[in-house]
Amino acid sequence: MENSSVIKTITGRGVVVRGADIDTDRIIPARFLRTVTFEHLGAHAFEDDRASGDHPFDQARFQGASILLANANFGCGSSREHAPQALMRWGIKGFVAESFAEIFFGNCIAMGLPCVRVAAEDMQTLMDVVESDPAQEVAIDLEARQVRWTGGQVAADIADGPREQFLKGSWDSLGQLLAAGDQVENTARKLPYVAGF
Amino acid sequence: MGKTLLHKVWDAHTVRELPSGQTQLFVGLHLVHEVTSPQAFEMLRERGLTVRFPKRTFATVDHIVPTDLVQRPFVDDLAEEMMDAIEQNAAEFEIPLFNIDDQRQGVVHVIGPELGLTQPGMTIACGDSHTSTHGAFGAVAFGIGTSQVRDVLATQCLAMDPLKVRRIEVSGALSEGVYAKDVILHIIGLLGVNGGVGYGYEYGGSVIEAMSIEERMTVCNMSIEGGARVGYVNPDQTTYDYLNGRPHAPRNFESAVEWWESMASDEDAEYDDLVQIDGREIGPTVTWGITPGQSVGVDQALPELDAFADADRSTVREAFDYMDFEPGQRIAGTKVDVAFIGSCTNGRLSDLREAARVARGRKVASGVRALVVPGSQQVRAAAEAEGLHEIFAEAGFQWRGAGCSMCLAMNPDKLQGRELCASSSNRNFKGRQGSPTGRTLLMSPAMVAAAAVAGEGADVRELVG
Ligand code: SF4
């Protein structure tokens, strides 16, 4: 039986969130971090940006989308996992952007949400395609390193390590880390500040 | 070829290579706070796991703590619920908690160093992006998300991808009125907010070497705003002098120093990139936009749109619109509503001293709300012992308790409406300081004090020296 954590392709409708440097304070404003669970965050994704009206997350044409399209440095700012958690709970299952902030990217991997990069011109094309027909399916294909739609495709990049983790279903880091067993203590014992100088 | 500190620390803490190609790294110190930990502890319970090294784990409360009235229960039910959660989790998993009634409490990145928990050659993790602050001691310190907090609690390890190292050398010397904050704002302005992606930043050169450990913390703190995963300074006598005698510093100090020295980057270490900056070119720097990279000299004109590459123009236009500023305008002379001195970037004793130097004998301009928030209870006590609180109070600043306060909007300290805030914190994102339309100008604490008394952006060089 195949490992249920294996992720090869994410398929769904896209939602276009334009603009560079969209930070985690915009994805989930800090006041919503006053919570001990992630459960209710979905409703508050982009809350302050949405207040000014007509945010893509509120537009009828993008409802039910599961692939978020963004420009450069998406998710910059804080390490709050609340940001990808809010987006996931809104319905997002994968991200395509020109680039991602590192901690945001790492958080997404840990949650099983693939993030792939496409070139700026390709992102322009992709955003136009999705906006012209938001009902069509888009696919993030990790094996082929592509983002595809009915009428075309663009190359999508993801580093070998995270790609392997999705393809092998090993993105849930905790299981792997636990498997090291006593090796953890062995490493610790060799560190003078643990052993006592 | 020699090795960098980052590579030496990496190697010493490698448990094994993971099938995914990542490295399993042992974490020497895990710092925990109330915001990013409750879900992680819950995940532990769900999987029936315990905390693997409770003695290498320390918790405090900072983000949600009110800085004026700290009576329990807090007025905010949600904040109270988070306090309950961390108290319960610390008790159940046997982790020391520096709670609000403990004089060791404060912003997590202020107390780690002052308690001597933060040491050279360590790996440090905390569910907070500004964990890079601890790199000032020559530690490799990662800000992590909640799933990784769970990983560290359960295994004392992280699965990490290797990093490249960029050495940033600041040579020469800084002029009067120019601070560590100006240095890091300058660096981010130069290299961009994602210039550091894939890198750890090693800071060096005569300007960094001459800095106190507190100033180095300011620089390392904002590495993350430059996109770097970690930032650090090689340990030296300044580091050892700071640590010696602190509660958690090693007792056998000399042999600790010997190991720490051995962990510093070798003279012939190989770097993936090198950036050289002349410290004399750095002036008092302020941000004017909505990313920490959008900065200018306080006395300089805001850039024209065509000074930017096509790709950046829409972001720059967005920043001008949000801030309600015009190209050609200067921050010096721009009216401010609020002045905030505090945060893990600039809430330490030396920061308060520099701000007090400006505030002494002056008055906060009418209509300006000015707050001084020490980064920890110990900073507060030390400042009071020197009488700094009186200088601030006489000038009309509010003197508060320890916490994150107006650095982010999770406690009662917030901007209102379109208020413009001169702030010694680290982020000027839209809505960061609590009002969805609030505006932030990042600058050094002395410059914030100068803005508070002038009632407008002001060049601190005209007030000190
Ligand atoms: S002071 Fe600000 S940046 Fe630092 S830990 Fe608190 S909220 Fe985060």
Side-chain angles (χ1 to χ4, degrees):
Chain A
M1 202 186 83
E2 194 165 62
N3 176 344
S4 64
S5 299
V6 169
I7 299 173
K8 291 181 176 161
T9 307
I10 304 273
T11 328
R13 287 158 49 193
V15 51
V16 178
V17 181
R18 287 184 189 264
D21 303 320
I22 292 184
D23 59 72
T24 49
D25 279 87
R26 285 169 67 183
I27 297 172
I28 185 81
R31 60 184 182 281
F32 300 112
L33 273 52
R34 288 156 40 250
T35 172
V36 296
T37 77
F38 289 132
E39 263 166 54
H40 309 292
L41 293 177
H44 302 297
F46 289 118
E47 175 120 341
D48 290 343
D49 281 1
R50 288 161 82 172
S52 45
D54 208 36
H55 189 272
F57 269 41
D58 290 320
Q59 293 171 17
R61 57 181 182 155
F62 290 133
Q63 298 310 303
S66 53
I67 293 179
L68 193 150
L69 307 181
N71 296 106
N73 202 24
F74 187 74
C76 60
S78 97
S79 62
R80 61 183 73 155
E81 193 167 305
H82 305 67
Q85 287 280 355
L87 296 172
M88 181 177 82
R89 282 155 210 272
W90 186 84
I92 300 301
K93 299 194 173 71
F95 298 88
V96 186
E98 288 165 38
S99 61
F100 296 92
E102 279 195 293
I103 302 184
F104 180 88
F105 180 86
N107 281 336
C108 288
I109 305 298
M111 294 166 54
L113 303 175
C115 296
V116 297
R117 281 175 296 143
V118 303
E121 318 84 76
D122 289 343
M123 182 47 83
Q124 196 52 51
T125 312
L126 201 52
M127 286 181 160
D128 292 346
V129 162
V130 170
E131 280 178 337
S132 68
D133 178 12
Q136 70 180 307
E137 288 230 317
V138 179
I140 302 175
D141 185 337
L142 295 173
E143 268 184 317
R145 286 194 155 104
Q146 277 178 350
V147 176
R148 279 195 304 271
W149 61 97
T150 328
Q153 67 198 47
V154 293
D157 194 27
I158 176 167
D160 294 338
R163 176 169 173 267
E164 286 286 284
Q165 291 173 52
F166 287 118
L167 296 180
K168 290 194 180 139
S170 61
W171 50 267
D172 180 4
S173 48
L174 184 53
Q176 292 191 61
L177 293 174
L178 283 167
D182 288 349
Q183 279 176 272
V184 178
E185 277 73 13
N186 294 342
T187 305
R189 227 171 289 133
K190 281 187 235 137
L191 291 164
Y193 68 85
V194 177
F197 286 103
Chain B
M1 266 300 177
K3 279 161 73 174
T4 62
L5 175 137
L6 189 137
H7 289 124
K8 292 185 193 180
V9 170
W10 195 277
D11 291 348
H13 292 78
T14 295
V15 174
R16 60 177 193 142
E17 298 304 323
L18 293 168
S20 62
Q22 291 182 298
T23 305
Q24 177 161 359
L25 275 189
F26 180 78
V27 174
L29 172 67
H30 186 199
L31 299 167
V32 171
H33 66 84
E34 76 280 20
V35 181
T36 54
S37 67
Q39 297 88 347
F41 283 110
E42 201 49 45
M43 296 178 204
L44 243 55
R45 280 194 201 93
E46 279 164 19
R47 299 203 192 193
L49 296 165
T50 56
V51 174
R52 182 91 166 245
F53 283 73
K55 292 206 171 68
R56 309 216 69 83
T57 312
F58 296 85
T60 191
V61 289
D62 49 10
H63 287 66
I64 58 162
V65 175
T67 57
D68 44 4
L69 255 185
V70 289
Q71 265 142 336
R72 300 285 298 278
F74 291 160
V75 180
D76 177 356
D77 291 343
L78 294 171
E80 184 59 28
E81 193 186 342
M82 298 177 79
M83 289 296 285
D84 281 348
I86 196 155
E87 285 165 352
Q88 221 178 340
N89 289 329
E92 181 180 333
F93 292 98
E94 297 176 23
I95 295 166
L97 168 65
F98 308 133
N99 208 337
I100 45 170
D101 54 2
D102 188 317
Q103 50 156 26
R104 293 169 293 182
Q105 178 264 339
V107 179
V108 65
H109 311 307
V110 177
I111 67 163
E114 81 190 359
L115 294 172
L117 289 166
T118 302
Q119 293 170 17
M122 271 186 173
T123 46
I124 300 178
C126 173
D128 189 281
S129 45
H130 292 100
T131 308
S132 58
T133 314
H134 305 264
F137 291 80
V140 175
F142 300 103
I144 56 178
T146 295
S147 295
Q148 290 173 306
V149 173
R150 170 206 64 193
D151 290 353
V152 181
L153 288 172
T155 68
Q156 203 64 24
C157 292
L158 280 170
M160 297 299 288
D161 289 308
L163 287 171
K164 293 182 281 184
V165 183
R166 169 178 293 145
R167 181 165 163 92
I168 301 178
E169 248 172 38
V170 190
S171 60
L174 299 179
S175 358
E176 177 73 26
V178 180
Y179 298 92
K181 182 63 156 285
D182 302 304
V183 172
I184 187 63
L185 286 175
H186 183 87
I187 290 172
I188 298 166
L190 198 71
L191 301 177
V193 288
N194 42 21
V197 172
Y199 283 97
Y201 279 177
E202 175 179 305
Y203 303 99
S206 53
V207 165
I208 305 289
E209 283 159 19
M211 281 183 180
S212 70
I213 206 86
E214 299 198 350
E215 294 172 300
R216 294 176 189 178
M217 281 193 249
T218 301
V219 173
C220 290
N221 173 276
M222 289 188 71
S223 303
I224 197 77
E225 270 67 46
R229 197 70 179 77
V230 302
Y232 68 88
V233 177
N234 283 302
D236 60 11
Q237 198 55 43
T238 304
T239 322
Y240 314 141
D241 289 346
Y242 177 94
L243 280 172
N244 203 353
R246 306 239 159 211
H248 289 267
R251 252 173 259 144
N252 197 349
F253 202 77
E254 270 170 38
S255 76
V257 168
E258 216 172 284
W259 186 67
W260 294 341
E261 293 268 283
S262 76
M263 297 304 280
S265 294
D266 296 325
E267 242 160 66
D268 59 347
E270 204 177 350
Y271 296 93
D272 299 285
D273 192 28
L274 175 67
V275 173
Q276 279 171 316
I277 294 170
D278 184 348
R280 283 163 296 218
E281 284 169 9
I282 305 175
T285 305
V286 290
T287 64
W288 60 268
I290 52 172
T291 80
Q294 292 168 327
S295 63
V296 287
V298 66
D299 54 346
Q300 285 169 356
L302 301 194
E304 298 293 328
L305 271 175
D306 51 21
F308 296 89
D310 283 351
D312 295 335
R313 263 182 225 162
S314 67
T315 318
V316 172
R317 205 169 293 125
E318 190 184 349
F320 276 117
D321 286 350
Y322 183 84
M323 296 300 287
D324 204 9
F325 290 161
E326 303 275 338
Q329 184 178 346
R330 285 177 166 74
I331 297 300
T334 297
K335 201 179 153 312
V336 301
D337 307 296
V338 180
F340 169 63
I341 296 170
S343 88
C344 59
T345 315
N346 282 124
R348 285 171 289 268
L349 186 60
S350 56
D351 300 312
L352 303 191
R353 279 184 188 148
E354 286 304 314
R357 198 150 77 93
V358 175
R360 184 193 301 272
R362 297 194 170 96
K363 289 277 181 231
V364 171
S366 73
V368 174
R369 183 155 54 103
L371 267 72
V372 184
V373 185
S376 71
Q377 296 199 26
Q378 291 200 30
V379 169
R380 184 177 148 103
E384 289 184 352
E386 292 182 11
L388 300 186
H389 61 312
E390 280 158 8
I391 297 172
F392 287 122
E394 266 163 40
F397 288 83
Q398 301 174 33
W399 177 248
R400 294 294 191 82
C404 293
S405 183
M406 212 186 263
C407 175
L408 95 174
M410 286 197 65
N411 56 68
D413 303 338
K414 288 183 173 64
L415 295 185
Q416 308 290 330
R418 297 278 294 144
E419 277 180 339
L420 183 64
C421 179
S423 181
S424 73
S425 55
N426 46 48
R427 287 188 175 144
N428 53 345
F429 299 148
K430 288 180 175 180
R432 168 72 178 185
Q433 292 190 285
S435 162
T437 52
R439 300 169 297 160
T440 303
L441 306 172
L442 302 175
M443 56 185 82
S444 72
M447 287 270 286
V448 176
V453 298
E456 55 187 37
D459 190 335
V460 70
R461 289 172 297 194
E462 291 164 12
L463 296 169
V464 296

